[in-house]
Amino acid sequence: MRLRLDIAYDGSGFSGWARQPGLRTVQGSIEAAVSRVLGGDAQLVVAGRTDAGVHASGQVAHLDLSEAQAARLRRGRDPEPAALAGRLNGVLGRYADVHVRATSEAPAGFDARFSAVWRRYAYRVADRTTGYDPLERFRTTFVPVALDDASMDAAARSLTGLHDFASYCKPRPEATTIRTLLEFDWRRDQSGVLVANVKADAFCHSMVRALVGACVAVGEGRLGVEDVAALRDERQRTSAFAVLAARGLTLTEVGYPADDLLAARAEQTRARRATDT
């Protein structure tokens, strides 16, 4: 039995998503809860691995249950897969910094990572206009100048499309930096905080934090609107802007195709990843 898990977490106290020996991680915490509830070992596959300090409100993972684990689930007071979320949260704690929002039996062909067609992130920036709010310090980056949000929005929109984003990615051997940036824009919320909406088919390492860092440099007047696309097209890392802190970044949503297209999408993505150069 394959289950889909919808997950939210405050990344402040975690060393990222991925399990690491001796470190507290989101994956490790949930897998330990699964083992306690259902016995045996557990291994989650996630839609997008988040770095240390990055949050999620719409993370997705899948979990393959062994026959023994599936039997133990069915023997519970409520044998439906949806009931597992409550049991896991009972182990994680009422006020835990990670919460399983829902569990369900995954449709045929579903793969949390490879079936995904896009991911969406939000990045929050408070500036001198809004001021510093200590209650938001774990999910909002503070920049102590007044930012030009119109210029930031224009710069963001100029970056969308299919491009090589090597200038905005931390390089990894044998990994492509070509991505389709589907949406990138800025708005101020009701409190005046600047919120970036960033949606792409996939992201390379540190890409979102680099993109928003370039836009903040535009908002400060250190870069022009046209510079962010020019830097992208140079396809090499630059010191023209700072990569912003993890605290402001939240994975908000993962998109999947219709159920009858899940398996084909996963196969297509695996084939593409295998030939990345």
Side-chain angles (χ1 to χ4, degrees), residues 137-151:
R137 68 191 185 280
F138 292 124
R139 73 182 191 116
T140 304
T141 293
F142 177 62
V143 178
V145 298
L147 296 173
D148 182 344
D149 49 289
S151 294

Side-chain angles (χ1 to χ4, degrees), residues 157-225:
R157 293 176 187 274
S158 75
L159 291 169
T160 57
L162 174 64
H163 301 284
D164 187 337
F165 285 94
S167 300
Y168 293 99
C169 296
K170 186 175 181 180
R172 287 180 169 175
E174 306 303 319
T176 183
T177 50
I178 297 174
R179 297 289 188 271
T180 301
L181 186 58
L182 299 166
E183 298 175 11
F184 189 18
D185 53 77
W186 289 88
R187 64 176 177 83
R188 287 191 186 267
D189 67 11
Q190 291 182 337
S191 67
V193 170
L194 281 155
V195 183
N197 162 55
V198 195
K199 176 183 175 182
D201 58 345
F203 292 93
C204 41
H205 192 211
S206 81
M207 179 175 167
V208 180
R209 294 191 290 131
L211 290 171
V212 298
C215 288
V216 167
V218 172
E220 293 173 324
R222 294 189 293 109
L223 290 177
V225 169

Side-chain angles (χ1 to χ4, degrees), residues 42-129:
Q43 185 168 350
L44 292 168
V45 175
V46 73
R49 293 186 177 188
T50 50
D51 294 334
V54 177
H55 316 300
S57 59
Q59 180 68 279
V60 179
H62 77 246
L63 171 68
D64 290 328
L65 300 185
S66 67
E67 290 185 8
Q69 289 171 325
R72 189 163 174 176
L73 175 63
R74 296 188 188 101
R75 288 196 301 269
R77 285 183 295 178
D78 187 342
E80 295 300 319
L84 181 60
R87 296 166 69 181
L88 294 176
N89 291 326
V91 173
L92 293 168
R94 180 174 295 182
Y95 295 105
D97 49 3
V98 56
H99 181 76
V100 180
R101 301 178 66 181
T103 49
S104 57
E105 186 165 359
F110 177 80
D111 184 294
R113 179 186 179 194
F114 290 116
S115 295
V117 292
W118 50 262
R119 288 91 171 159
R120 187 191 303 277
Y121 283 85
Y123 195 98
R124 294 170 52 84
V125 178
D127 65 352
R128 192 170 65 195
T129 302

Side-chain angles (χ1 to χ4, degrees), residues 9-29 49-54 97:
Y9 48 87
D10 176 343
S12 306
F14 293 102
S15 297
W17 165 269
R19 185 192 324 106
Q20 301 175 64
L23 296 176
R24 183 171 184 258
T25 66
V26 181
Q27 181 182 13
S29 297
R49 293 186 177 188
T50 50
D51 294 334
V54 177
D97 49 3

